[in-house]
Every structure is written in C-alpha cells, then in structure tokens.
Amino acid sequence: MTKPKEKSVESIVDWFDQHKQSFYILGWSYLKNQQQMEELFYRSIVKVHKELRYKRDLSFETWVTSIFLHICQELSDDRSLQVSEKVEPRHDLFNALDQLEKVEKDAVVLTYIKGISQEDTAKLLQVSVEQVKEYLFSGLQSLRKGMGDGSHFNGCKEYQQNYIDYIERTLEREKKVDFEVHMYHCQDCQEDFAAFKEIMYTLLNFTESMKDFHVPSDFMEKVMARLTEEDKQRRLKRKKRNRMGIVFASVFVLLMGIEVFTGSFTSLYYTWAEEDPELREYLNQGLGKRLDLEAESNGVKIKIRSAIADDVQTLVFYEIEDTAENNQYAIIYNDGASVENDYDIMNRETGHMYYYFPDLKSDQNNKEKNVFQGKLSLLALTKDSGTIKLKITQLLKLVRDPSDPNSFGAYENMEYKKGEWNFEIPVTKWPSKEYALDESTEIEGIPVRFNKLTIAPTATILKYAVNNEHPEKRVEFLTADNLEVNNKKVKATIYDSSYTDFDMNGSTFQTKFPSLYGEKPKEINVQFGYARLTVEHQETIELDPSSKYPQTFEYAGSTISIDKVEVGKTTNVIISNHDIENRAFESLNLDIVSEDENEINSMEMNSEEVFVDKNGIIDMNKNPVAFDEFEQPRYFTTVLDIHLKGKNAAENVIPKKLIINGYNTTKYLDDVVKISLKK
C-alpha cells in the first residue's frame, strides 16, 4: 500500500476504497453491525486526513491500520451501541475471536486476518516480537476451545513455543531438526500439534476465502455522503465568504482587544510606543515583551513584534513592509507559513488552530500603503517555554476591494509574494484557569452537557457536548452566542464555534469568546446561538420515466415538485421547492434506486440555493455582502439536479424510487442557561 499523493479527503476516501476489502474484514473482526462499520470507516478517514501531515515512524499502511484498529476497539467497547443497535449475523470465527483476551485478539487479527508481519504487529501493540508470538500461540489455543475443539493440550510446553515458527518455516535449522525428532517420538505432541495446525490453517483458509468477501456496493458511497454532508455547511460558508473578499474557509473573526486585567500595572513606555491596542494591553500586563525580530527577502521585510502564549494558543504579532512597492501582505498559516519544530514544541493532540482575518480597518493598517500589521495564531505549547522555528515561503497579497476599502480581493484572484523568511521566536507559556462545569440542558429535546470553562490570557473557551441518543433527531452543530461571567458579558461571532470531537453518540463543541482573564467566576450564564439539526423522516416516492412530469408530492408539510425524469446513459432527475416560507427543512438527505439496486454506479448532485435572514431573501450578487449584519441567516436548497450513471456505460439507468431519508434544518435559540461550578 502506498500513501495518497494528495492530502484531500477525497484522495483518502479513494485510498480506502482501493483497500476496503482488507479493512472491511478487519472491522468485522470487532464490530457487529453495518452502522458501526460505516461509522468506523468515516471516523478513520477523518482522523487519517487530520493527522496526515504529522511525522511518524511507521509505514503508511501500518500507521493507517493503527488508527483503524484503535477506532475498532472504541466502537466495540461502547456498550450503549451494542445494546441499542441491531446485531447482524457474523462468521463463527469472528464470534470465537470475541472470546479472546484483548491482546490475544489484536495479535491474531492483525497477523492472520489483516495479514501484516509479526514485526509490524509488535510495533502497533508496542510489545516485542517474542511477546507477539506468545499472544498468537495463546490466542490460537483459545480459539480451539472457542470453536468446539474438545482435544486436550497435552503437548510438551518446551516444544509448543515452536509451533508457529515451524508452520511458518521460520524456525532455525537446529531447532527445526530437534523439533521434528521430538515429534516423531512423542505421541502427545503429535496430537497436540496436529490440532493446533488445524486451527491455524482454518484461520488462514478463512482469510484466503475472505478475499472474495462481498463489500456492499454502496458502502463507500454512504461513507462519502456523510463526509460530504458534514462538510457542506463549512464549504457553503467558504463559498459565500469568497464573494465578499474572504480568502480562507472556516476562520474566526478578529478579536478587537482584551479586557483590562484585574490588578495590572500600567507601562508608560508601551502606552506611547505601541500603537496596536491589543498587543499594548498584553505588554502592559507583562504577558510578553517586544521582540522585533527581522528578516528580509525579495524586497519584503517581516518583523516579529511579539509572541504571547497560553494553554489555548500562541499569538504571534507581526509587521510586513514592502520596501520596493506599495503593497500590503499577510501571513497565512499552512499556506506558505509553517512551524518546522511543531512536532517537538506544539500541542498537536488536544490543540486547536485559530485563524484571524487580516484587519484592514485598523488605524495602523491605513497609515501607510506598504505596511501591514497582523497576528498569527499557532497551536499552544507543550512546554512552559521554548523556541518556535517559524518558516515563511510566501505571503498573501492584500488587494483592497474598490467598493469596500475594508475588504480585499476574492479567493480565486489571490496573489502571492515568494521569498524565504526564517525566525526563531522565544516564547513563555502563561497559565490558564480551568473550571469544571456541572450543568446540563436540552436543545430540541436533545441533552446538552456543559463540560469546562477555560479562562486564558488570549481567549475564553467554553466546552459543551451533545448526546445524540435519539437517532430520529440529531444536533450536528451547536453554537454559543453570549457568555456572562460576574455580570460581564462577552459575545462570540458565528465563526467562533467549532467541533473538538465526535462519535456515534454525539459531538463535543467549543466556543471561543474574548478573554475574561483575571475574572473569578461566581455565576455563569450562557446563551446559545443556533443548532443545526438532522431529522430522520423517511418517505419513498415511486418514479416512472414513462409518466409525464412535473409531478408533486407532500413531504414534511411542503409540496415538492419532481420536474424531470430523463433516462439516458446519464439519467437526469430534477426536484424543486421554491416556497421557503415556513418550510421545515433547508436541505434533504435522499437517494435514488433503480429496479436493480446495484445498477447505479454514481450519483452527482448540483443544487441551487437562496440565502435568507429574518427580513427575507438576500441578493447574493450584491457586492460586498455584509454577512455579519444579517439576522439569523439560513441557506435553503430550491433546486436539486441529480445525475445518475450506471455500472455498464452502454446501458441506460432507469430510476424506480426516490427515497428521502430525512432533512437538515437550522434552529435559532434564545435559551439562557445558568451554570454552577463543580466544587
């Protein structure tokens, strides 16, 4: 197996699709139903994509297997899933494997089901090769019992340890001769070895036969559909922000300053010398110092002015001067800027990357046409202090929009300045205060639990979790709008909430607020923003290509039109619903099947949408579109254009049924929850 050449989710899905057979069998060794299998592939793809850029000592195949195995174990250990979900028929061997000790099962499954070497198995289990052999032997012995072999284990122990190496022909010659001589004279060992060899061959023959094991034809399509749906809202935001001159997706609005710290002192020097009010506040509080590190390349000078680190993030304040022309540039992390020693110094496991819009409204960025001051958010440190090795190879050119000088050019017209700027930035991490929370509430009948409040010098973080225990309705995303601590209220923007983790039971989220550093919470009030919901509401509509269209049907209180069913090598189905007033859903989760359910090879969907807020439909052609000024914005799909292709390119695809599985909707919330602190 080779590593995907690209780092996109699609390339990783393609890689899993090419190797789905062996991983599918590996999954069934631990799991008991199809829904768990889909969750397993989904979570594995997400985790591989998230961690693909990190360095590792294992080969790509072994590394992916380690992730896959870990998620297998998480899902198999989840008792709530085992009770609540349907258990599907499995091969007797899989059921027998469930009876083994964990390490025995892992060793047997990796070595004989997945087919990796004992050396790689040892790396994954973090044990020696000799220990792997012991686990394999004891595991195979246990399988004999589990599969009804009533024979006794009467072989000589000093020779039993050589069974596996002898069968696999890896036993040293001297030991091999001694083993064969002993077998010739010992009846007990002959019987014991024969029984052991039989179970081992049964396992190997089973693995060989599983090469023809049928993976459901729509399995990877379902996994990809979920990935697509989860990512849809983020891609929609990016698409809309591109139109208003925002150049990167899922980013967070710039925090304009922080609250004055309790018990702080005032520095006359920084009051007069530092014009950036946010950085000046940090410096006045003694949370950082002026660095003024400089590097110049290709006519552009970059100055690292200061760096402020805590448990949430590491803020780097910079200034860029174009010494040759009147241009302004910004640093974009992972797009020309990287930390060379991030593996050694940054918190990659629990850290969260934040982004800040280039601020063209500030006074300092409107004084000179060739100077720009900005800030860069990096991951938090793993140590109390260290040196960040920041490497910059390109800068984003900020081209101001003539119709709005406070915004810059669209994503598709980005320009870059090449060069090489290297910095070694000394940083000291300042402590944060964490408060365990003890409160829960419900959103649309779904439990929400508040976990933790973190008050750090650079930000305030609220973490909360959704328990999607009712499959008919799920909260896919939940934002917090306002946070009030000791009668001091801070507000988040719609971009400040994000996932931190997710599983089959629900998701954990966090919202970043302006810093409340120095506050000692006595009372906490949280007001939610909005919840994005998925509702399971299945309905099947028969399709007849010979009938005349358009035709209508009722769904979730709305009238939906099937405008076209046009059969061909690429079959076209168009459905629409332009009446969005009081509509229960924003988009539908649907599928189309043919009479032969395996006939359809691919389904491509193109959509038309309208953007609305409380005051009605928004004209998206207006430039610029001030998204932050809208009240309760929502995107409604009005037309869905579906293209179907069959496995046999020479035959027409004839659709028979339109299956609507459910819909997505957004609920804006006014709930305010009072939260007590754990004692």
Side-chain angles (χ1 to χ4, degrees):
M1 296 187 184
T2 58
K3 180 180 177 180
K5 295 181 179 179
E6 300 177 358
K7 295 184 179 181
S8 65
V9 173
E10 291 79 8
S11 68
I12 296 170
V13 172
D14 289 342
W15 187 91
F16 268 92
D17 190 45
Q18 294 170 23
H19 307 98
K20 62 187 175 187
Q21 189 84 7
S22 63
F23 282 98
Y24 193 84
I25 298 168
L26 174 59
W28 272 117
S29 302
Y30 290 85
L31 307 181
K32 295 181 173 63
N33 60 59
Q34 193 67 18
Q35 185 175 351
Q36 284 182 315
M37 290 293 293
E38 292 175 11
E39 178 70 13
L40 168 62
F41 273 71
Y42 168 76
R43 289 171 60 179
S44 297
I45 291 168
V46 170
K47 191 168 181 64
V48 169
H49 178 249
K50 179 180 179 181
E51 299 184 2
L52 191 59
R53 70 185 183 89
Y54 299 143
K55 299 176 183 178
R56 62 191 71 87
D57 297 325
L58 302 174
S59 67
F60 183 74
E61 173 193 0
T62 307
W63 175 69
V64 172
T65 302
S66 70
I67 291 175
F68 198 88
L69 177 66
H70 179 70
I71 297 173
C72 277
Q73 294 166 342
E74 287 182 343
L75 295 175
S76 65
D77 290 339
D78 193 326
R79 299 298 178 187
S80 64
L81 295 178
Q82 295 176 15
V83 172
S84 63
E85 294 181 4
K86 176 183 176 183
V87 176
E88 298 176 6
R90 300 161 80 217
H91 194 281
D92 289 342
L93 181 59
F94 287 147
N95 294 325
L97 286 169
D98 291 342
Q99 308 308 313
L100 303 186
E101 295 292 331
K102 180 182 180 300
V103 290
E104 293 177 346
K105 178 177 179 179
D106 292 344
V108 170
V109 168
L110 288 172
T111 306
Y112 297 124
I113 301 295
K114 187 67 176 70
I116 68 176
S117 68
Q118 292 181 10
E119 289 74 18
D120 281 343
T121 297
K123 290 179 181 179
L124 290 180
L125 300 183
Q126 297 183 333
V127 298
S128 67
V129 175
E130 291 305 312
Q131 285 179 297
V132 168
K133 291 180 180 179
E134 293 176 9
Y135 296 147
L136 290 175
F137 176 81
S138 60
L140 290 171
Q141 293 284 59
S142 299
L143 276 180
R144 288 171 62 181
K145 295 179 182 178
M147 298 189 72
D149 188 338
S151 61
H152 298 289
F153 307 140
N154 294 324
C156 302
K157 290 185 178 180
E158 64 268 31
Y159 288 94
Q160 285 180 334
Q161 63 184 356
N162 294 327
Y163 284 2
I164 293 176
D165 286 343
Y166 184 84
I167 295 172
E168 295 182 353
R169 300 180 180 180
T170 58
L171 192 62
E172 298 173 8
R173 177 172 177 77
E174 184 177 343
K175 290 184 178 181
K176 177 176 179 292
V177 172
D178 180 54
F179 181 86
E180 291 175 344
V181 170
H182 178 79
M183 284 291 158
Y184 183 81
H185 293 95
C186 182
Q187 183 68 28
D188 287 340
C189 279
Q190 290 176 20
E191 294 176 357
D192 186 61
F193 179 65
F196 184 90
K197 186 165 58 174
E198 181 178 353
I199 191 65
M200 188 170 176
Y201 283 159
T202 298
L203 187 61
L204 294 173
N205 289 335
F206 168 78
T207 304
E208 184 66 22
S209 67
M210 292 297 282
K211 290 181 179 179
D212 298 324
F213 186 84
H214 175 67
V215 179
S217 59
D218 61 346
F219 180 79
M220 291 304 296
E221 284 80 3
K222 288 183 178 179
V223 175
M224 188 61 192
R226 182 175 173 188
L227 288 163
T228 302
E229 184 60 31
E230 292 285 347
D231 194 51
K232 181 178 179 181
Q233 293 298 325
R234 288 190 291 273
R235 290 187 286 107
L236 283 174
K237 288 180 181 178
R238 177 170 55 192
K239 176 182 176 183
K240 308 309 178 184
R241 289 198 296 270
N242 288 345
R243 297 177 183 177
M244 57 180 288
I246 298 174
V247 299
F248 39 82
S250 301
V251 296
F252 300 94
V253 174
L254 179 64
L255 298 175
M256 297 301 295
I258 61 172
E259 303 293 336
V260 177
F261 297 166
T262 302
S264 63
F265 64 90
T266 302
S267 168
L268 183 61
Y269 171 79
Y270 288 129
T271 300
W272 289 99
E274 179 52 59
E275 59 183 2
D276 183 337
E278 182 179 8
L279 177 55
R280 182 171 62 237
E281 196 65 45
Y282 288 127
L283 298 177
N284 282 341
Q285 300 301 322
L287 296 171
K289 60 182 180 180
R290 286 291 293 265
L291 298 175
D292 292 335
L293 306 174
E294 292 188 1
E296 189 167 355
S297 177
N298 198 15
V300 174
K301 181 192 297 183
I302 300 178
K303 178 189 294 184
I304 303 299
R305 301 162 64 223
S306 188
I308 315 297
D310 56 25
D311 295 312
V312 172
Q313 62 185 329
T314 302
L315 285 180
V316 176
F317 291 83
Y318 64 85
E319 178 181 288
I320 301 177
E321 178 185 0
D322 185 350
T323 60
E325 301 179 53
N326 285 329
N327 295 317
Q328 290 182 313
Y329 297 98
I331 301 173
I332 308 298
Y333 194 74
N334 282 337
D335 193 10
S338 62
V339 175
E340 293 186 294
N341 61 335
D342 67 337
Y343 189 84
D344 301 319
I345 196 171
M346 297 292 184
N347 189 342
R348 303 175 315 282
E349 295 298 324
T350 59
H352 195 88
M353 185 74 73
Y354 298 98
Y355 295 91
Y356 295 93
F357 293 152
D359 182 10
L360 299 182
K361 296 181 180 180
S362 66
D363 292 338
Q364 60 265 33
N365 286 332
N366 283 281
K367 288 182 177 180
E368 300 177 79
K369 295 181 179 180
N370 66 328
V371 177
F372 176 80
Q373 292 185 5
K375 66 180 177 181
L376 183 67
S377 175
L378 306 176
L379 292 174
L381 303 180
T382 56
K383 306 175 183 178
D384 291 336
S385 62
T387 300
I388 298 172
K389 296 181 180 179
L390 180 63
K391 182 176 182 178
I392 304 169
T393 57
Q394 69 177 16
L395 303 169
L396 174 68
K397 183 178 180 180
L398 302 177
V399 181
R400 295 184 184 243
D401 189 329
S403 62
D404 181 9
N406 291 322
S407 65
F408 49 91
Y411 183 84
E412 58 270 18
N413 297 322
M414 288 192 304
E415 298 181 39
Y416 290 97
K417 184 73 170 182
K418 302 292 184 180
E420 185 170 342
W421 303 264
N422 296 299
F423 297 94
E424 293 191 0
I425 307 171
V427 284
T428 298
K429 184 170 67 173
W430 292 90
S432 303
K433 185 66 175 178
E434 293 186 350
Y435 299 90
L437 304 180
D438 187 19
E439 192 63 60
S440 60
T441 186
E442 289 189 352
I443 299 295
E444 294 287 311
I446 299 170
V448 178
R449 183 184 70 257
F450 293 95
N451 294 337
K452 184 171 65 175
L453 179 71
T454 300
I455 299 181
T458 65
T460 301
I461 306 294
L462 176 69
K463 286 194 174 184
Y464 46 97
V466 175
N467 185 2
N468 286 315
E469 56 186 10
H470 303 298
E472 64 274 9
K473 183 186 288 187
R474 302 188 304 276
V475 172
E476 306 290 0
F477 198 77
L478 178 63
T479 70
D481 191 27
N482 293 303
L483 174 68
E484 187 175 352
V485 175
N486 300 343
N487 296 319
K488 181 180 292 185
K489 182 180 288 188
V490 287
K491 182 176 178 60
T493 74
I494 60 174
Y495 307 116
D496 280 330
S497 296
S498 60
Y499 287 104
T500 62
D501 195 12
F502 48 90
D503 55 34
M504 295 182 69
N505 288 329
S507 302
T508 302
F509 304 95
Q510 71 175 27
T511 297
K512 178 171 67 69
F513 297 92
S515 178
L516 291 168
Y517 197 63
E519 294 291 334
K520 297 180 180 179
K522 298 178 181 178
E523 184 178 86
I524 300 173
N525 294 331
V526 177
Q527 179 180 345
F528 286 111
Y530 70 87
R532 191 165 65 243
L533 302 168
T534 294
V535 179
E536 301 293 335
H537 180 187
Q538 191 172 82
E539 189 161 330
T540 301
I541 299 91
E542 300 292 332
L543 299 177
D544 184 1
S546 63
S547 298
K548 291 184 178 180
Y549 288 92
Q551 296 181 7
T552 61
F553 64 91
E554 298 297 314
Y555 179 79
S558 294
T559 301
I560 300 175
S561 172
I562 304 176
D563 297 336
K564 178 191 290 187
V565 179
E566 188 175 75
V567 174
K569 300 297 185 295
T570 298
T571 292
N572 186 208
V573 178
I574 298 178
I575 65 174
S576 64
N577 181 354
H578 295 276
D579 184 8
I580 62 173
E581 186 175 0
N582 299 321
R583 204 170 87 178
F585 56 89
E586 290 155 32
S587 61
L588 299 173
N589 301 323
L590 54 80
D591 196 7
I592 294 179
V593 298
S594 60
E595 190 169 297
D596 177 4
E597 293 187 0
N598 295 323
E599 178 186 2
I600 297 176
N601 185 53
S602 67
M603 182 168 68
E604 177 185 337
M605 297 186 187
N606 299 313
S607 63
E608 296 179 13
E609 300 162 335
V610 293
F611 179 51
V612 306
D613 73 353
K614 291 179 67 174
N615 300 314
I617 297 177
I618 306 300
D619 182 5
M620 295 304 297
N621 294 317
K622 180 182 177 181
N623 189 23
V625 180
F627 282 84
D628 289 340
E629 298 177 5
F630 297 147
E631 293 185 68
Q632 302 185 358
R634 300 171 71 186
Y635 297 96
F636 285 87
T637 299
T638 55
V639 178
L640 200 56
D641 189 355
I642 307 168
H643 299 274
L644 307 170
K645 293 184 180 180
K647 290 186 176 180
N648 189 339
E651 296 182 1
N652 294 340
V653 177
I654 303 177
K656 291 296 183 181
K657 295 179 181 179
L658 170 66
I659 301 176
I660 301 179
N661 297 305
Y663 59 83
N664 304 310
T665 187
T666 300
K667 298 289 185 181
Y668 282 88
L669 309 166
D670 296 320
D671 309 62
V672 176
V673 183
K674 292 186 177 181
I675 303 174
S676 59
L677 301 181
K678 281 188 177 181
K679 296 182 180 179

